[in-house]
Amino acid sequence: MLTRRRLFLLPALLVAVLGLSACPSQTNIGKITADPDRYMDKEVGIVGRVTDSYGVPFVGGAYELDDGTGRIWVITERGTPSRGARVGVKGRIYSGPTIKGRNIGMALREEDRRVK
């Protein structure tokens, strides 16, 4: 009986550990903009409100997300959420050039989204 329990617990524990390691770390936009190199090409999760959005049918678009600590543009291949929507998004951070200490063109490329 003890060996059956062990045989069940080991795969269950392995699945739980792998599942948790696959989740992106949730952070805030202020931390990302303060240290963009730390988050560059890493998967992150952000929750905030849409302040602006531009969409092109059948192509995708971009929307700006504000979480209270800052704002960041999110690039999507899907339709864009409407202004004021509360959104949880995960994706990878990409950056443009840095001019006079300010990063120009930093954005999050959306991989998944949940509208709340």
Side-chain angles (χ1 to χ4, degrees):
M1 181 153 166
L2 186 58
T3 57
R4 280 186 178 176
R5 187 175 287 165
R6 282 186 185 169
L7 288 175
F8 174 75
L9 287 177
L10 184 60
L13 182 61
L14 184 60
V15 168
V17 168
L18 289 175
L20 290 175
S21 66
C23 295
S25 61
Q26 185 172 340
T27 188
N28 64 50
I29 297 167
K31 288 180 181 178
I32 294 169
T33 56
D35 189 7
D37 290 337
R38 178 178 176 194
Y39 298 95
M40 200 58 52
D41 198 28
K42 293 193 175 131
E43 191 173 79
V44 297
I46 300 171
V47 177
R49 292 223 179 266
V50 176
T51 57
D52 206 356
S53 66
Y54 301 94
V56 178
F58 309 110
V59 176
Y63 56 97
E64 188 178 43
L65 203 60
D66 184 341
D67 71 352
T69 66
R71 293 179 176 196
I72 193 167
W73 282 96
V74 179
I75 309 302
T76 181
E77 293 179 358
R78 301 170 26 186
T80 58
S82 60
R83 177 181 255 175
R86 185 159 170 80
V87 174
V89 63
K90 79 171 182 177
R92 294 190 178 274
I93 299 293
Y94 292 96
S95 179
T98 301
I99 300 172
K100 293 186 178 183
R102 183 173 176 189
N103 192 286
I104 308 298
M106 183 171 32
L108 184 142
R109 181 169 302 278
E110 178 187 273
E111 295 173 2
D112 191 25
R113 173 190 343 147
R114 303 273 188 250
V115 178
K116 299 178 179 185

Coordinates of all heavy atoms in Angstrom, one line a residue, residues 13-93:
L13 N 3.7 15.1 -7.9 CA 4.6 16.2 -7.5 C 5.4 16.7 -8.7 O 5.6 17.9 -8.8 CB 5.6 15.6 -6.4 CG 6.6 16.6 -5.8 CD1 5.9 17.7 -5.1 CD2 7.5 15.8 -4.9
L14 N 5.8 15.8 -9.5 CA 6.6 16.2 -10.7 C 5.7 17.2 -11.6 O 6.2 18.2 -12.1 CB 7.0 15.0 -11.5 CG 7.9 15.3 -12.7 CD1 9.2 16.0 -12.3 CD2 8.2 14.0 -13.4
V15 N 4.5 16.8 -11.8 CA 3.6 17.6 -12.7 C 3.4 19.0 -12.0 O 3.4 20.0 -12.7 CB 2.2 16.9 -12.9 CG1 1.2 17.9 -13.5 CG2 2.4 15.7 -13.8
A16 N 3.2 19.0 -10.7 CA 3.0 20.3 -10.0 C 4.2 21.2 -10.1 O 4.1 22.4 -10.4 CB 2.7 20.1 -8.5
V17 N 5.4 20.6 -10.0 CA 6.6 21.4 -10.1 C 6.8 22.0 -11.5 O 7.1 23.1 -11.7 CB 7.9 20.6 -9.6 CG1 9.2 21.3 -10.0 CG2 7.8 20.3 -8.1
L18 N 6.6 21.1 -12.5 CA 6.7 21.6 -13.9 C 5.7 22.6 -14.2 O 6.0 23.6 -14.9 CB 6.6 20.4 -14.8 CG 7.8 19.4 -14.8 CD1 7.5 18.2 -15.7 CD2 9.1 20.1 -15.2
G19 N 4.5 22.5 -13.7 CA 3.4 23.5 -14.0 C 3.8 24.8 -13.4 O 3.5 25.8 -14.0
L20 N 4.3 24.8 -12.2 CA 4.6 26.1 -11.5 C 5.8 26.8 -12.2 O 5.9 28.0 -12.2 CB 4.9 25.9 -10.0 CG 3.6 25.5 -9.2 CD1 4.1 25.2 -7.8 CD2 2.6 26.6 -9.2
S21 N 6.8 26.0 -12.6 CA 7.9 26.6 -13.2 C 7.6 27.2 -14.6 O 8.4 28.0 -15.1 CB 9.1 25.6 -13.4 OG 8.7 24.5 -14.3
A22 N 6.5 26.8 -15.2 CA 6.2 27.3 -16.6 C 5.4 28.6 -16.5 O 5.3 29.3 -17.5 CB 5.3 26.3 -17.3
C23 N 5.0 29.0 -15.3 CA 4.2 30.3 -15.1 C 5.2 31.5 -15.2 O 6.2 31.4 -14.6 CB 3.5 30.3 -13.8 SG 2.2 29.1 -13.7
P24 N 4.8 32.5 -15.9 CA 5.6 33.7 -15.9 C 5.6 34.5 -14.6 O 4.6 34.4 -13.9 CB 5.0 34.6 -17.0 CG 3.6 34.2 -17.1 CD 3.6 32.7 -16.7
S25 N 6.6 35.2 -14.3 CA 6.6 35.9 -13.0 C 5.7 37.2 -13.2 O 5.9 37.9 -14.2 CB 8.0 36.3 -12.6 OG 8.6 37.1 -13.6
Q26 N 4.8 37.5 -12.3 CA 4.0 38.7 -12.4 C 4.8 39.8 -11.8 O 5.4 39.7 -10.7 CB 2.7 38.6 -11.7 CG 1.8 39.8 -11.9 CD 0.4 39.6 -11.4 OE1 0.0 38.5 -11.2 NE2 -0.2 40.7 -11.2
T27 N 4.9 40.9 -12.5 CA 5.6 42.0 -12.1 C 4.8 43.3 -12.4 O 3.7 43.2 -12.9 CB 7.0 42.1 -12.7 OG1 7.8 43.1 -12.1 CG2 7.0 42.3 -14.2
N28 N 5.4 44.5 -12.1 CA 4.7 45.7 -12.5 C 5.6 46.5 -13.5 O 6.8 46.2 -13.7 CB 4.3 46.5 -11.3 CG 5.5 47.0 -10.5 OD1 6.5 47.6 -11.1 ND2 5.6 46.8 -9.2
I29 N 4.9 47.3 -14.2 CA 5.5 48.1 -15.3 C 6.6 49.0 -14.8 O 7.7 49.2 -15.5 CB 4.5 48.9 -16.1 CG1 3.5 47.9 -16.7 CG2 5.1 49.7 -17.2 CD1 2.2 48.5 -17.3
G30 N 6.5 49.5 -13.6 CA 7.5 50.4 -13.0 C 8.8 49.7 -12.9 O 9.9 50.2 -13.2
K31 N 8.8 48.4 -12.5 CA 10.0 47.6 -12.3 C 10.7 47.3 -13.7 O 11.9 47.4 -13.9 CB 9.8 46.3 -11.6 CG 9.5 46.4 -10.2 CD 9.2 45.1 -9.5 CE 8.9 45.2 -8.1 NZ 8.6 43.9 -7.5
I32 N 9.8 47.1 -14.7 CA 10.3 46.8 -16.0 C 11.0 48.0 -16.6 O 12.1 48.0 -17.2 CB 9.2 46.3 -16.9 CG1 8.7 45.0 -16.4 CG2 9.6 46.2 -18.4 CD1 7.4 44.5 -17.1
T33 N 10.3 49.2 -16.5 CA 10.9 50.4 -17.1 C 12.2 50.9 -16.3 O 13.0 51.5 -16.9 CB 9.9 51.5 -17.2 OG1 9.3 51.8 -15.9 CG2 8.8 51.2 -18.1
A34 N 12.2 50.6 -15.0 CA 13.4 51.0 -14.2 C 14.6 50.1 -14.6 O 15.8 50.6 -14.5 CB 13.1 50.8 -12.7
D35 N 14.4 48.9 -14.9 CA 15.6 48.0 -15.2 C 15.2 47.1 -16.4 O 15.0 45.9 -16.3 CB 15.9 47.1 -14.0 CG 17.2 46.4 -14.1 OD1 17.9 46.6 -15.1 OD2 17.5 45.5 -13.3
P36 N 15.1 47.7 -17.6 CA 14.7 46.9 -18.8 C 15.6 45.7 -19.1 O 15.1 44.7 -19.6 CB 14.6 47.9 -19.9 CG 15.1 49.2 -19.4 CD 15.4 49.1 -18.0
D37 N 16.9 45.8 -18.9 CA 17.8 44.7 -19.2 C 17.5 43.5 -18.4 O 17.7 42.4 -18.9 CB 19.2 45.2 -19.0 CG 19.7 46.2 -20.0 OD1 19.1 46.2 -21.1 OD2 20.7 46.9 -19.7
R38 N 17.0 43.6 -17.2 CA 16.7 42.5 -16.4 C 15.5 41.6 -17.0 O 15.5 40.4 -16.8 CB 16.3 43.0 -15.0 CG 15.9 41.8 -14.1 CD 15.6 42.4 -12.7 NE 15.1 41.3 -11.9 CZ 14.5 41.4 -10.7 NH1 14.3 42.7 -10.3 NH2 14.1 40.4 -10.0
Y39 N 14.6 42.3 -17.7 CA 13.4 41.6 -18.2 C 13.5 41.4 -19.7 O 12.6 40.7 -20.2 CB 12.2 42.5 -17.9 CG 11.9 42.6 -16.4 CD1 12.4 43.7 -15.7 CD2 11.3 41.7 -15.7 CE1 12.2 43.9 -14.4 CE2 11.1 41.8 -14.3 CZ 11.5 42.9 -13.7 OH 11.3 43.0 -12.3
M40 N 14.6 41.8 -20.4 CA 14.7 41.7 -21.8 C 14.6 40.2 -22.3 O 15.3 39.4 -21.8 CB 16.0 42.3 -22.3 CG 16.0 42.6 -23.7 SD 14.7 43.8 -24.2 CE 15.0 45.1 -23.1
D41 N 13.6 40.0 -23.2 CA 13.4 38.7 -23.8 C 13.0 37.6 -22.7 O 13.3 36.4 -22.9 CB 14.6 38.2 -24.6 CG 14.2 37.1 -25.6 OD1 13.0 37.1 -26.0 OD2 15.0 36.3 -25.9
K42 N 12.5 38.1 -21.6 CA 12.0 37.1 -20.6 C 10.5 37.2 -20.5 O 9.9 38.3 -20.8 CB 12.6 37.5 -19.2 CG 14.1 37.2 -19.2 CD 14.6 37.2 -17.8 CE 16.1 36.9 -17.9 NZ 16.9 37.7 -17.1
E43 N 9.8 36.1 -20.2 CA 8.4 36.1 -20.1 C 7.9 36.7 -18.8 O 8.5 36.3 -17.7 CB 7.9 34.6 -20.2 CG 6.4 34.5 -20.4 CD 6.0 33.1 -20.7 OE1 5.9 32.3 -19.7 OE2 5.7 32.8 -21.9
V44 N 7.0 37.6 -18.8 CA 6.5 38.3 -17.6 C 5.0 38.3 -17.7 O 4.4 38.2 -18.8 CB 7.0 39.7 -17.4 CG1 8.5 39.7 -17.2 CG2 6.7 40.6 -18.6
G45 N 4.3 38.6 -16.6 CA 2.9 38.8 -16.5 C 2.6 40.1 -15.9 O 3.3 40.6 -15.0
I46 N 1.7 40.8 -16.5 CA 1.3 42.2 -16.1 C -0.2 42.3 -16.0 O -0.9 41.7 -16.9 CB 1.8 43.3 -17.0 CG1 3.3 43.2 -17.1 CG2 1.4 44.7 -16.6 CD1 3.9 44.1 -18.2
V47 N -0.8 43.0 -15.0 CA -2.2 43.3 -15.0 C -2.4 44.8 -14.9 O -1.7 45.5 -14.1 CB -2.8 42.6 -13.7 CG1 -4.3 42.9 -13.6 CG2 -2.6 41.1 -13.7
G48 N -3.3 45.3 -15.7 CA -3.6 46.7 -15.7 C -4.8 47.1 -16.5 O -5.5 46.2 -17.0
R49 N -5.0 48.4 -16.7 CA -6.1 48.9 -17.5 C -5.6 49.4 -18.8 O -4.6 50.0 -18.9 CB -6.8 50.0 -16.8 CG -7.6 49.6 -15.5 CD -8.9 50.2 -15.5 NE -9.6 49.8 -14.3 CZ -10.4 48.8 -14.2 NH1 -10.7 48.1 -15.3 NH2 -11.0 48.4 -13.1
V50 N -6.4 49.2 -19.9 CA -6.1 49.7 -21.2 C -6.4 51.1 -21.3 O -7.5 51.6 -21.0 CB -6.9 48.9 -22.3 CG1 -6.6 49.4 -23.7 CG2 -6.6 47.4 -22.2
T51 N -5.4 51.9 -21.7 CA -5.5 53.4 -21.8 C -5.7 53.8 -23.2 O -6.2 54.9 -23.5 CB -4.4 54.1 -21.1 OG1 -3.2 53.7 -21.7 CG2 -4.3 53.9 -19.6
D52 N -5.2 53.0 -24.1 CA -5.2 53.4 -25.6 C -5.1 52.1 -26.4 O -4.4 51.2 -25.9 CB -4.1 54.4 -25.9 CG -4.4 55.3 -27.1 OD1 -5.4 55.1 -27.7 OD2 -3.5 56.1 -27.4
S53 N -5.7 52.1 -27.6 CA -5.5 50.9 -28.4 C -5.7 51.2 -29.9 O -6.5 52.1 -30.2 CB -6.5 49.8 -28.0 OG -7.8 50.1 -28.2
Y54 N -5.0 50.5 -30.7 CA -5.1 50.6 -32.1 C -5.1 49.2 -32.7 O -4.1 48.5 -32.5 CB -3.9 51.4 -32.7 CG -3.8 52.8 -32.1 CD1 -3.0 53.1 -31.0 CD2 -4.5 53.8 -32.7 CE1 -2.9 54.3 -30.4 CE2 -4.4 55.1 -32.1 CZ -3.6 55.3 -31.0 OH -3.6 56.6 -30.5
G55 N -6.1 48.9 -33.5 CA -6.2 47.6 -34.1 C -6.4 47.7 -35.6 O -6.9 48.7 -36.1
V56 N -5.9 46.7 -36.3 CA -6.1 46.6 -37.7 C -6.8 45.2 -38.0 O -6.2 44.2 -37.6 CB -4.7 46.6 -38.5 CG1 -4.9 46.4 -40.0 CG2 -4.0 47.9 -38.2
P57 N -8.0 45.2 -38.6 CA -8.6 43.9 -38.8 C -7.8 42.9 -39.5 O -7.1 43.2 -40.4 CB -9.9 44.3 -39.6 CG -10.1 45.7 -39.3 CD -8.7 46.3 -39.1
F58 N -7.8 41.7 -39.0 CA -7.1 40.5 -39.6 C -5.6 40.6 -39.4 O -4.9 39.8 -39.9 CB -7.5 40.3 -41.1 CG -8.9 40.3 -41.3 CD1 -9.6 41.3 -42.0 CD2 -9.7 39.2 -40.8 CE1 -10.9 41.3 -42.2 CE2 -11.1 39.2 -41.0 CZ -11.7 40.2 -41.7
V59 N -5.1 41.6 -38.8 CA -3.6 41.8 -38.6 C -3.2 41.8 -37.2 O -2.2 41.1 -36.8 CB -3.1 43.1 -39.3 CG1 -1.7 43.3 -39.1 CG2 -3.4 43.1 -40.8
G60 N -3.9 42.5 -36.3 CA -3.5 42.6 -34.9 C -3.6 44.1 -34.5 O -4.4 44.8 -34.9
G61 N -2.6 44.4 -33.7 CA -2.6 45.8 -33.2 C -1.7 46.0 -32.0 O -0.9 45.2 -31.7
A62 N -2.0 47.1 -31.3 CA -1.2 47.4 -30.1 C -2.2 48.1 -29.1 O -3.1 48.8 -29.5 CB -0.1 48.3 -30.4
Y63 N -1.9 47.9 -27.8 CA -2.7 48.7 -26.8 C -1.7 49.0 -25.7 O -0.7 48.3 -25.4 CB -3.9 47.9 -26.3 CG -3.6 46.5 -25.8 CD1 -3.4 46.3 -24.4 CD2 -3.5 45.4 -26.6 CE1 -3.2 45.0 -23.9 CE2 -3.2 44.1 -26.1 CZ -3.1 43.9 -24.7 OH -2.9 42.7 -24.2
E64 N -2.0 50.1 -25.0 CA -1.2 50.6 -23.9 C -1.8 50.2 -22.6 O -3.0 50.4 -22.4 CB -1.1 52.1 -24.0 CG -0.1 52.7 -23.0 CD 0.0 54.2 -23.1 OE1 -1.0 54.9 -23.2 OE2 1.1 54.7 -23.0
L65 N -1.0 49.6 -21.8 CA -1.5 49.1 -20.5 C -0.9 49.9 -19.3 O 0.3 50.2 -19.3 CB -1.1 47.6 -20.3 CG -1.8 46.7 -19.4 CD1 -3.3 46.6 -19.8 CD2 -1.2 45.3 -19.4
D66 N -1.7 50.3 -18.4 CA -1.3 51.1 -17.2 C -1.7 50.3 -16.0 O -2.8 50.0 -15.7 CB -2.1 52.5 -17.2 CG -1.6 53.4 -16.1 OD1 -1.0 52.9 -15.1 OD2 -1.9 54.6 -16.2
D67 N -0.7 50.1 -15.1 CA -0.9 49.3 -13.9 C -0.8 50.2 -12.6 O -0.8 49.7 -11.5 CB 0.0 48.1 -13.8 CG 1.5 48.4 -13.6 OD1 1.8 49.6 -13.6 OD2 2.2 47.5 -13.3
G68 N -0.7 51.5 -12.8 CA -0.5 52.4 -11.7 C 0.9 52.7 -11.4 O 1.2 53.7 -10.7
T69 N 1.9 51.9 -11.9 CA 3.3 52.2 -11.7 C 4.0 52.7 -12.9 O 5.1 53.1 -12.9 CB 4.0 50.9 -11.2 OG1 4.1 49.9 -12.2 CG2 3.4 50.3 -9.9
G70 N 3.2 52.6 -14.1 CA 3.8 53.0 -15.3 C 2.9 52.5 -16.5 O 1.9 51.9 -16.3
R71 N 3.3 52.8 -17.7 CA 2.6 52.3 -18.9 C 3.6 51.6 -19.8 O 4.7 52.0 -19.9 CB 2.0 53.5 -19.6 CG 0.9 54.2 -18.8 CD 0.4 55.4 -19.6 NE -0.7 56.0 -18.8 CZ -1.6 56.8 -19.4 NH1 -1.5 57.2 -20.6 NH2 -2.6 57.3 -18.6
I72 N 3.0 50.6 -20.6 CA 3.8 49.9 -21.6 C 2.9 49.5 -22.7 O 1.7 49.3 -22.5 CB 4.5 48.7 -21.0 CG1 5.5 48.1 -21.9 CG2 3.4 47.6 -20.6 CD1 6.4 47.1 -21.3
W73 N 3.4 49.5 -23.9 CA 2.7 49.1 -25.1 C 2.7 47.6 -25.2 O 3.8 47.0 -25.0 CB 3.2 49.8 -26.4 CG 2.7 51.2 -26.5 CD1 3.4 52.3 -26.1 CD2 1.5 51.6 -27.0 NE1 2.6 53.4 -26.3 CE2 1.4 53.0 -26.8 CE3 0.4 51.0 -27.5 CZ2 0.3 53.8 -27.2 CZ3 -0.7 51.7 -27.9 CH2 -0.7 53.1 -27.7
V74 N 1.6 47.0 -25.6 CA 1.5 45.6 -25.8 C 1.2 45.3 -27.3 O 0.3 45.9 -27.8 CB 0.4 44.9 -24.9 CG1 0.3 43.4 -25.2 CG2 0.7 45.3 -23.5
I75 N 2.1 44.6 -27.9 CA 1.9 44.2 -29.4 C 1.2 42.9 -29.4 O 1.6 41.9 -28.8 CB 3.2 44.1 -30.1 CG1 4.1 45.3 -29.8 CG2 3.0 43.9 -31.6 CD1 3.5 46.6 -30.2
T76 N 0.1 42.8 -30.2 CA -0.7 41.6 -30.3 C -1.0 41.2 -31.8 O -1.0 42.1 -32.6 CB -2.0 41.8 -29.5 OG1 -2.8 40.6 -29.6 CG2 -2.9 42.9 -30.1
E77 N -1.2 40.0 -32.0 CA -1.6 39.5 -33.3 C -3.1 39.2 -33.3 O -3.7 38.8 -34.3 CB -0.9 38.2 -33.7 CG 0.6 38.5 -33.9 CD 1.4 37.2 -34.2 OE1 0.8 36.1 -34.2 OE2 2.6 37.3 -34.4
R78 N -3.8 39.4 -32.2 CA -5.2 39.3 -32.1 C -5.9 40.7 -32.1 O -5.2 41.7 -32.2 CB -5.6 38.6 -30.7 CG -4.9 37.3 -30.6 CD -5.0 36.6 -29.2 NE -6.1 37.1 -28.4 CZ -6.2 36.7 -27.1 NH1 -5.4 35.9 -26.6 NH2 -7.3 37.1 -26.4
G79 N -7.2 40.7 -31.9 CA -7.8 42.0 -31.7 C -7.4 42.7 -30.5 O -6.9 42.0 -29.5
T80 N -7.6 44.0 -30.4 CA -7.2 44.7 -29.2 C -8.4 44.9 -28.2 O -9.5 45.1 -28.7 CB -6.6 46.1 -29.6 OG1 -7.6 46.8 -30.3 CG2 -5.4 46.0 -30.4
P81 N -8.1 44.9 -26.9 CA -9.2 45.1 -26.0 C -9.6 46.6 -26.0 O -8.8 47.4 -26.4 CB -8.5 44.7 -24.6 CG -7.1 44.8 -24.8 CD -6.8 44.5 -26.3
S82 N -10.8 46.9 -25.5 CA -11.2 48.3 -25.6 C -10.7 49.1 -24.4 O -10.2 48.5 -23.4 CB -12.8 48.3 -25.5 OG -13.2 47.7 -24.4
R83 N -10.7 50.4 -24.6 CA -10.2 51.3 -23.6 C -10.9 51.1 -22.3 O -12.2 51.0 -22.3 CB -10.3 52.7 -24.1 CG -9.9 53.8 -23.1 CD -10.1 55.1 -23.6 NE -8.8 55.6 -24.0 CZ -8.6 56.7 -24.6 NH1 -9.6 57.5 -25.0 NH2 -7.3 57.1 -24.8
G84 N -10.2 51.1 -21.2 CA -10.8 50.9 -19.8 C -10.9 49.4 -19.4 O -11.2 49.2 -18.2
A85 N -10.7 48.5 -20.3 CA -10.8 47.1 -19.9 C -9.6 46.7 -19.0 O -8.5 47.2 -19.1 CB -10.7 46.2 -21.2
R86 N -9.9 45.9 -18.0 CA -8.9 45.4 -17.1 C -8.3 44.1 -17.7 O -9.1 43.2 -18.0 CB -9.4 45.1 -15.7 CG -8.4 44.7 -14.7 CD -8.8 45.0 -13.3 NE -7.9 44.4 -12.3 CZ -6.8 44.9 -11.9 NH1 -6.4 46.1 -12.5 NH2 -6.0 44.4 -11.0
V87 N -7.0 44.1 -17.9 CA -6.4 43.0 -18.7 C -5.2 42.4 -17.9 O -4.4 43.1 -17.4 CB -5.9 43.5 -20.1 CG1 -5.2 42.4 -20.8 CG2 -7.1 44.0 -20.9
G88 N -5.1 41.1 -18.0 CA -3.9 40.4 -17.5 C -3.3 39.8 -18.7 O -3.9 39.1 -19.6
V89 N -2.0 40.1 -18.9 CA -1.3 39.7 -20.2 C 0.0 39.1 -19.8 O 0.7 39.5 -18.8 CB -1.2 40.9 -21.1 CG1 -0.3 42.0 -20.6 CG2 -0.6 40.4 -22.5
K90 N 0.4 38.0 -20.5 CA 1.8 37.5 -20.4 C 2.4 37.6 -21.8 O 1.8 37.5 -22.8 CB 1.8 36.1 -19.8 CG 1.5 35.0 -20.8 CD 1.7 33.6 -20.2 CE 1.4 32.6 -21.2 NZ 1.7 31.2 -20.8
G91 N 3.7 37.8 -21.7 CA 4.5 37.8 -23.0 C 5.9 38.1 -22.7 O 6.4 38.1 -21.5
R92 N 6.7 38.5 -23.7 CA 8.1 38.8 -23.6 C 8.3 40.3 -23.9 O 7.7 40.9 -24.7 CB 8.9 38.0 -24.6 CG 8.8 36.5 -24.3 CD 9.8 35.7 -25.1 NE 9.7 34.3 -24.7 CZ 10.4 33.8 -23.8 NH1 11.2 34.5 -23.1 NH2 10.3 32.5 -23.5
I93 N 9.3 40.8 -23.1 CA 9.7 42.2 -23.2 C 10.7 42.4 -24.3 O 11.7 41.6 -24.4 CB 10.3 42.7 -21.9 CG1 9.2 42.6 -20.8 CG2 10.8 44.2 -22.0 CD1 8.0 43.5 -20.9

